Every structure is written in C-alpha cells, then in structure tokens.
Amino acid sequence: MAVAEQVIYRGLKKPEATLPAHYYFDPDHHRRELDAIWYHGWVYVCPSVSMPDPRCYRVYEIGDQSVLIVRDEDGSLRAFHNTCRHRGSQLCSAGEGRFKFKRIVCPYHNWAYKLDGSLAATTSLATPEGFDPSGLGLFPVHVDTWRGLVFVNLADHSSPLETAMRGDHARFDAWPIEDLVLGHRSVKTLACNWKGFWDNFNECLHCPNVHPGLVKLVPIYGRRISGRSDDPDYASHADEADPKYQGGLRVGAETWSTDGNASPVPIPGLSEEHKGLGQTYVVSWPSMFMVGHADYMRIVRMRPLGPEKTEVTAEWLFPKGAMEHPDFDLENITGFAEQVIAEDGAASELNQRGMHARPFTQGVLMPEETSLRDFRDWVLERLGKT
Ligand code: FES
Ligand SMILES: [Fe+2]
C-alpha cells in the first residue's frame, strides 16, 4: 500500500474561473501577451542537433520580432536580432541553412558581420570621421541549451534557462536527449489562440470523446484524468494493477505507436520502471512540451502567429541507428501522435470558435482541470495581474 500513500489528490476543491474569454481573441490583449510573455522569457527554438556544424543558422520569428541563431566557428551558439545596424534591414529571411562563409552579410548594402556579431566590413568607399565599428555589432539575444535543446530569450535580463522547465524535470535524466537524432518533423497551423492549445493539453476531460485511439493505449485517460493524482478515489484502487487506475500503457503495449509496438532500437539505458511509465512529460510554458517514450522522444513547439492563429511543430527524436534498422517503421511511430495532435488541434479550434459568443465572458474549471488553473495563474502572473 506504499504506493497509495504517495499519491496525493490534486483535484480542484471548488469551481474556479478560466482566463477571460477575450484573452483568446482580442488583438490588443494579444500584443500585451507577446510583450509580457513571449518577449520576456525563454522560448524553445529547435534541437541543437538540427544545427550541428559551425555556420549553421536558423531564423526564429515570434510576433514582430525575428531572431537569428548561428553556430560560431568554436561550436558555441549565438543569437542576434535579425537586423542590420546600418539602416535596419532584415539580415536573413530563410528559415534555416548554413552560411557559405564565416560572415553574416546583409543583403541590402552588404555590411558583413563575424559570426560573433561584430561588424567586420562596410562597403562604403570612404569611412566617415568618428565612425566606430566596435559599437555597431549585431544586437545580441540570450541563447542557451537545456539537455541539447536550444532556447532564446528576448528580455534584457534573463533568468537561468533551467528555471523555465516546470516541475520535476529530473525525471528526464534517464533520457539521453543530447545523443538522439531528429527523425521526423511536422508543422501545422491551427485557428486558435496559443493558450487554447495549452488549455487542451492541460486536461484529459476531453480524452474519451476526442481521442478514441489514445484512450485504448493509455487506459487511465479513458477515465478523463491524466494520472493517479487526479483520481479522488485512488486509495480504493491502490492495490489493483490495472493501468486504468495506475496509469501507463495497456497491457502488451510498449510505446505510443499505431500498433503499440516499440521500434527495434530502444532508448539506451532506460530502466524497466522508466519504460513502464508509458509517457513522461516535461513542460516549458509558453513554448514547448516534451514526451519521453521507451524508444523515442517527441517535442511539441507552440508559436503564436496571431491572436487566433498558432503554429504547432512536432519533432520526433530517435537513438542513433534506429532509422537505419531494417525493421524500423517510421509511420507506425509518427502516425499515432500525428493523429493525437490533429485531434487536439481540432478540439482547440472548436473551443476557439465558441468563445466568441458575447455572453461568454469566462468559463469554469472542474476538479480535473488543476493544470489549467496553474497555467491560468502563470499567465496572470506574467501579465502582472496577481
Ligand atoms: S541595411 Fe544592411 S547594409 Fe545597409
Ligand atoms: Fe488531447
């Protein structure tokens, strides 16, 4: 019965209000959130492995800001506002690539910058008196990696990146994220506010009707809860092994895949306990969550494109050599979560459309929606409303 003693019920004891409905579509409010949340905190860009070599770069756009991330010759990552110091031209418009030379060259009048951002050369025939190139380097942006994942922070002062990971991220120590390779990426644009996608992620009340396939694979989701601590009656089931009470995958399943079978190359070093969890999450509001399975990891990135438009990018990371294995079935792995993401996307869009009703000024949170309450409080705190 030791397990029962460790599970503390976390359900909401009283109904609580959601965020105001207009936070999900009002353009003025959206600009406030860009400023208070997206321009003032760590946001996830990509796995470090997707820009492996010196001169690899990537452009990350958020709101009306554009950030250029580049790997310097010494292997370190640098990030800059994607803006030339001459007259403010955008430097780089392509999403990602590799510079041919060790220079970032403005396409407008060809000022050239070193990969560390310092101004290397102008193209004028004469140099005006008092012109000081040392004060005309690219505007820096904070960039850092956590476990091989690249984040940027547009704020003048940044907190340590690790503080952007919510909860007990030590659970991910067993997954060698840094050593995995990128196997698949899918990008979708949803007609919903970015917070609507998170609200949906934060609860499983919708699971049986929205995810018929997922609730077969993860039986506890079929009871409309995310885990044991959402179950008010857990103590009376504590000694039953059934995954519908204990969490984890259905008996016989190994991972999130269409047939429940794992790829032939598991994540190295995982214990049976880690594999038995079925899915292990790490969340970094507002921009990403990551899921560890027995044979792969999945990273889902959110990026607002407007008050009612959100880009969702999912990336699948595998152990080296997995995709070259003759029995590796990429579609069996990726198809399952692609379906779940599509279902969540459709639910988020449905929710978005309904929130415009003029009498609907605010919703109500039920006991299983504790994580929505936490997210609501985090948003309000970032907006300076608490
Ligand atoms: S604006 Fe970049 S060189 Fe002129
Ligand atoms: Fe869902």
Side-chain angles (χ1 to χ4, degrees):
M1 296 301 284
V3 173
E5 287 154 25
Q6 291 164 7
V7 175
I8 297 166
Y9 178 59
R10 63 172 198 146
L12 297 178
K13 301 273 191 324
K14 57 182 173 54
E16 296 205 34
T18 64
L19 290 168
H22 77 273
Y23 277 27
Y24 293 79
F25 51 79
D26 175 45
D28 290 336
H29 181 77
H30 183 63
R31 275 189 287 276
R32 280 194 285 277
E33 285 188 353
L34 284 174
D35 189 37
I37 295 175
W38 291 88
Y39 302 160
H40 278 92
W42 289 103
V43 288
Y44 170 64
V45 177
C46 64
S48 179
V49 73
S50 69
M51 38 189 313
D53 302 313
R55 290 181 278 123
C56 283
Y57 70 89
R58 172 164 304 227
V59 174
Y60 176 78
E61 294 187 325
I62 185 70
D64 62 2
Q65 300 299 299
S66 179
V67 180
L68 173 62
I69 303 122
V70 60
R71 194 172 291 284
D72 203 344
E73 289 295 313
D74 64 0
S76 60
L77 285 170
R78 299 185 181 274
F80 310 101
H81 287 270
N82 188 13
T83 296
C84 179
R85 293 297 305 273
H86 174 214
R87 284 196 7 240
S89 166
Q90 188 171 67
L91 292 166
C92 206
S93 49
E96 59 189 295
R98 190 167 182 225
F99 294 123
K100 207 165 167 190
F101 305 107
K102 299 184 213 172
R103 291 286 184 269
I104 302 165
V105 180
C106 177
Y108 196 3
H109 315 97
N110 285 171
W111 278 29
Y113 300 86
K114 293 183 185 170
L115 299 185
D116 67 6
S118 58
L119 179 60
T122 69
T123 45
S124 292
L125 296 177
T127 304
E129 213 174 299
F131 180 80
D132 179 12
S134 70
L136 290 169
L138 299 178
F139 295 117
V141 170
H142 300 286
V143 60
D144 202 355
T145 57
W146 179 81
R147 302 290 319 275
L149 306 177
V150 180
F151 288 72
V152 293
N153 187 334
L154 286 159
D156 293 340
H157 303 286
S158 72
S159 50
L161 172 55
E162 196 175 60
T163 62
M165 303 298 151
R166 297 190 59 77
D168 177 22
H169 54 74
R171 72 186 79 162
F172 255 93
D173 290 354
W175 273 266
I177 315 171
E178 302 90 335
D179 301 330
L180 305 181
V181 295
L182 185 61
H184 182 64
R185 180 186 289 154
S186 85
V187 184
K188 289 187 171 49
T189 301
L190 301 176
C192 68
N193 181 268
W194 67 276
K195 299 186 300 303
F197 194 86
W198 273 118
D199 286 345
N200 177 77
F201 169 84
N202 284 330
E203 50 89 356
C204 219
L205 262 181
H206 66 273
C207 286
N209 37 308
V210 169
H211 302 302
L214 178 58
V215 299
K216 287 198 186 89
L217 184 70
V218 187
I220 201 168
Y221 291 176
R223 297 175 58 228
R224 301 186 185 273
I225 55 177
S226 303
R228 297 180 303 188
S229 55
D230 291 327
D231 183 350
D233 197 27
Y234 177 70
S236 64
H237 302 290
D239 50 2
E240 293 179 55
D242 192 330
K244 82 178 176 189
Y245 299 117
Q246 302 304 337
L249 306 179
R250 70 170 162 77
V251 175
E254 301 169 315
T255 192
W256 280 37
S257 66
T258 303
D259 64 9
N261 294 332
S263 106
V265 181
I267 300 261
L270 287 186
S271 66
E272 286 309 309
E273 189 190 342
H274 285 120
K275 291 182 205 165
L277 294 170
Q279 60 284 318
T280 300
Y281 286 89
V282 167
V283 170
S284 182
W285 292 334
S287 64
M288 64 92 78
F289 68 86
M290 179 167 52
V291 197
H293 301 289
D295 55 340
Y296 73 99
M297 299 195 64
R298 191 171 67 259
I299 305 172
V300 179
R301 182 183 89 167
M302 261 67 76
R303 197 169 67 96
L305 302 180
E308 299 189 77
K309 202 171 179 189
T310 300
E311 178 193 75
V312 176
T313 303
E315 297 170 312
W316 282 255
L317 276 65
F318 297 96
K320 285 190 183 97
M323 286 177 293
E324 291 75 31
H325 193 286
D327 296 328
F328 183 77
D329 184 348
L330 183 68
E331 172 59 27
N332 185 48
I333 297 287
T334 60
F336 185 81
E338 293 234 41
Q339 173 70 21
V340 173
I341 293 168
E343 291 163 352
D344 282 326
S348 303
E349 290 180 332
L350 179 77
N351 198 166
Q352 184 74 31
R353 293 195 294 276
M355 280 197 280
H356 281 268
R358 293 178 63 189
F360 182 80
T361 54
Q362 215 151 14
V364 56
L365 296 174
M366 297 303 283
E368 299 85 348
E369 296 174 310
T370 309
S371 294
L372 273 90
R373 190 272 317 269
D374 295 346
F375 178 64
R376 175 201 69 184
D377 291 349
W378 179 84
V379 169
L380 291 173
E381 191 247 314
R382 297 299 296 273
L383 291 167
K385 302 265 187 192
T386 53

